[in-house]
């Protein structure tokens, strides 16, 4: 069952890493002369006490060019037709990831990425392959995936964990392989 509060990304709880990222953005704002040292102190205290993404975003709202990456990327669509799309290393994972793959391959390595607590993955796969490598401790649910002449290979086998990946959509004649890092 889905908690209705989780549908609004601004109400998701934040991690220490997200708080520190916002403090580094505020530090850059001081260096650019956008805020004073006194403003920096007040905003830093607010950022370090933040519980939700909305709290964090509040200290950046009036600073042009200063954006919390976690808030800026709420939805991303990856389209792939008869080619390969790869995301690995450090990248910011959106709250909603749409994968449209026709006769191609999509490789997503989340092990070094900045991953929100919940990632909704909407699949539209036709005769293609999607490979996902989740971080250690991650969980997966793919009950909402409609499969026609294809398959989902769940090598995670864990429905409780953090971060949580929620898969939905359709796989037609394709394959989705989800593994978890051992590290």
């Amino acid at each position: 069952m889905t908690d209705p509060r989780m549908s609004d990304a601004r109400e998701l709880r934040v991690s220490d890493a997200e708080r520190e990222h916002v403090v580094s953005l505020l530090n850059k704002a001081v260096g650019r002369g956008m805020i004073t040292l006194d403003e920096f102190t007040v905003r830093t205290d607010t950022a370090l006490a933040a519980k939700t993404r909305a709290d964090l975003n509040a200290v950046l709202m009036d600073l042009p060019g200063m954006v919390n990456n976690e808030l800026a990327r709420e939805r991303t669509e990856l389209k792939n037709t008869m080619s390969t799309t790869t995301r690995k290393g450090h990248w910011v994972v959106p709250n909603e990831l749409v994968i449209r793959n026709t006769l191609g391959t999509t490789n997503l390595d989340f092990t070094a990425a900045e991953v929100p607590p919940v990632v909704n993955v909407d699949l539209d796969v036709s005769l293609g392959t999607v490979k996902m490598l989740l971080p250690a401790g991650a969980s997966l649910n793919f009950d909402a995936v409609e499969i026609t002449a294809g398959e989902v290979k769940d090598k995670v086998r864990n429905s409780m964990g953090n971060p949580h990946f929620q898969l939905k959509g359709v796989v037609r004649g394709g394959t989705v392989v989800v593994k978890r890092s051992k590290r």
Side-chain angles (χ1 to χ4, degrees), residues 127-145:
L127 302 170
T129 301
V130 175
K131 296 178 183 176
M132 299 171 61
L133 181 60
L134 308 186
S139 61
L140 170 71
N141 182 310
F142 64 93
D143 292 340
V145 177

Side-chain angles (χ1 to χ4, degrees), residues 4 14 16 73 130 148 157:
V14 293
D16 288 339
R73 311 255 340 251
V130 175
T148 305
R157 301 197 197 302

Side-chain angles (χ1 to χ4, degrees), residues 3-167:
D3 185 343
R5 291 174 294 162
M6 290 304 207
S7 63
D8 186 356
R10 294 171 295 175
E11 296 306 315
L12 291 175
R13 308 272 299 182
V14 293
S15 66
D16 288 339
E18 290 169 300
R19 291 182 194 95
E20 290 169 13
H21 174 69
V22 170
V23 170
S24 73
L25 291 175
L26 291 172
N27 195 32
K28 289 178 185 174
V30 169
R32 294 178 184 168
M34 299 169 83
I35 59 175
T36 66
L37 285 175
D38 290 339
E39 289 173 305
F40 172 78
T41 301
V42 171
R43 289 177 189 227
T44 298
D45 290 344
T46 302
L48 293 174
K51 293 186 181 189
T52 66
R53 290 189 175 166
D55 297 339
L56 271 183
N57 199 34
V59 300
L60 301 173
M61 290 297 278
D62 63 340
L63 301 173
M66 296 288 152
V67 179
N68 180 1
N69 289 340
E70 300 294 325
L71 296 168
R73 311 255 340 251
E74 292 190 13
R75 182 178 191 273
T76 298
E77 186 169 326
L78 301 175
K79 292 182 182 179
N80 177 342
T81 302
M82 295 177 25
S83 58
T84 301
T85 299
T86 301
R87 295 283 187 277
K88 65 181 180 179
H90 182 268
W91 61 292
V92 178
V93 179
N95 296 318
E96 183 179 359
L97 186 59
V98 179
I99 300 171
R100 300 197 191 290
N101 181 331
T102 304
L103 296 166
T105 303
T106 303
N107 298 311
L108 302 173
D109 182 344
F110 296 94
T111 58
E114 291 181 44
V115 183
V118 177
V119 180
N120 292 301
V121 181
D122 189 355
L123 298 168
D124 183 2
V125 181
S126 297
L127 302 170
T129 301
V130 175
K131 296 178 183 176
M132 299 171 61
L133 181 60
L134 308 186
S139 61
L140 170 71
N141 182 310
F142 64 93
D143 292 340
V145 177
E146 180 184 326
I147 304 166
T148 305
E151 67 179 324
V152 174
K153 294 181 182 178
D154 174 15
K155 297 188 178 183
V156 173
R157 301 197 197 302
N158 183 12
S159 61
M160 300 293 286
N162 190 22
H164 180 71
F165 291 79
Q166 181 68 45
L167 276 59

